[in-house]
Amino acid sequence: MTSVQDNIKGKVAIVTGASSGLGESTARHLAARGAKVVLAARRTDRLDKVVAEIREAGGEAIAVATDVSKRADLDSLAAATVEAFGRIDVLVNNAGVMPLSPLEKLRVDEWDRTIDVNIKGVLYGIAAVLPRMQAQGSGHIVNVASIAGLKVFTPIGTVYSATKHAVRAISEGLRVEVGNSGVRVTIVSPGAVESELKFGSSDAESAAGVKAFYEANQIPADSVARAVVYAVEQPADVDINEVVLRPVSQEF
């Protein structure tokens, strides 16, 4: 009898934002379960280090320099994955930014960047892998949203919340559209998790508040990695549509 753990072995998984935090931990967990992992991010030095450590532990991994706000980069990422491993079974759309500030501060450039990475980056990832997954009759797209996609993070996270609400809407629409083709879709919505997200605010007052909030509540990045693994390891006819996880102490 095949265990659920065997459902990950041999799968080819792309993880964006894999140079640190949630993405790095997810890539390591998938590799430890036998997946062939493609780590994507902008910081190639960090990616190369993680890839080397995965290989030293007996796993298979490559690194591909990727800026998810550029569609061409996602297309190149998908092509590099197919060239290296022959197929794409899983995409973890994890890359994200969280520059927080009240709307009245008018940090419009930061709004643009948040939309480019958190919404367009997810869509570009979907566009890069979906035709291949549909053609092979299987695949799994895991989109990392946020607790802020369930409740608006006011007064400093309105734009960030808007992007994560969008990720949830995109994910649910995609699930309905592609389920009959054998492609699974999962939304993972974490609360305060140890990552570099909390350092993304240029507004000093907002940055201080976020730092204090995370220090009081945050849980390790592998909390999210385990949730992703749980969704991916299910049998092909089971789709874990949404996982919401937060620290026990977190009220928001």
Side-chain angles (χ1 to χ4, degrees), residues 17-29:
S19 59
S20 66
L22 283 59
E24 176 188 343
S25 184
T26 298
R28 290 182 186 275
H29 275 256

Side-chain angles (χ1 to χ4, degrees), residues 117-154:
V117 174
N118 294 3
I119 300 179
K120 291 183 179 179
V122 167
L123 288 169
Y124 293 161
I126 292 168
V129 305
L130 185 57
R132 290 177 171 88
M133 290 181 174
Q134 289 181 302
Q136 68 197 21
S138 66
H140 196 161
I141 296 173
V142 180
N143 294 329
V144 178
S146 171
I147 292 297
L150 298 166
K151 181 179 179 181
V152 179
F153 186 15
T154 56

Side-chain angles (χ1 to χ4, degrees), residues 52 82 214 219 239:
V82 172
Y214 270 73
I219 51 179
D239 190 1

Side-chain angles (χ1 to χ4, degrees), residues 54-195:
I54 289 173
R55 289 175 176 172
E56 287 169 8
E60 292 186 67
I62 63 170
V64 180
T66 306
D67 180 345
V68 300
S69 68
K70 299 177 180 178
R71 183 179 178 187
D73 278 20
L74 272 302
D75 290 341
S76 296
L77 172 63
T81 302
V82 172
E83 182 178 353
F85 297 123
R87 58 188 289 121
I88 302 170
D89 296 299
V90 180
L91 167 65
V92 182
N93 267 321
N94 165 74
V97 295
M98 190 176 72
L100 304 175
S101 63
L103 289 174
E104 65 184 19
K105 296 288 183 75
L106 301 181
R107 305 275 173 132
V108 178
D109 289 345
E110 292 184 353
W111 300 351
D112 287 341
R113 178 66 179 162
T114 305
I115 291 167
D116 287 345
V117 174
N118 294 3
I119 300 179
K120 291 183 179 179
V122 167
L123 288 169
Y124 293 161
I126 292 168
V129 305
L130 185 57
R132 290 177 171 88
M133 290 181 174
Q134 289 181 302
Q136 68 197 21
S138 66
H140 196 161
I141 296 173
V142 180
N143 294 329
V144 178
S146 171
I147 292 297
L150 298 166
K151 181 179 179 181
V152 179
F153 186 15
T154 56
I156 61 174
T158 300
V159 174
Y160 178 72
S161 280
T163 65
K164 293 305 185 176
H165 275 75
V167 169
R168 295 187 70 247
I170 291 164
S171 301
E172 176 60 10
L174 179 65
R175 180 191 70 80
V176 174
E177 288 188 35
V178 304
N180 288 334
S181 66
V183 179
R184 304 188 294 179
V185 181
T186 301
I187 313 164
V188 178
S189 298
V193 175
E194 168 59 35
S195 74

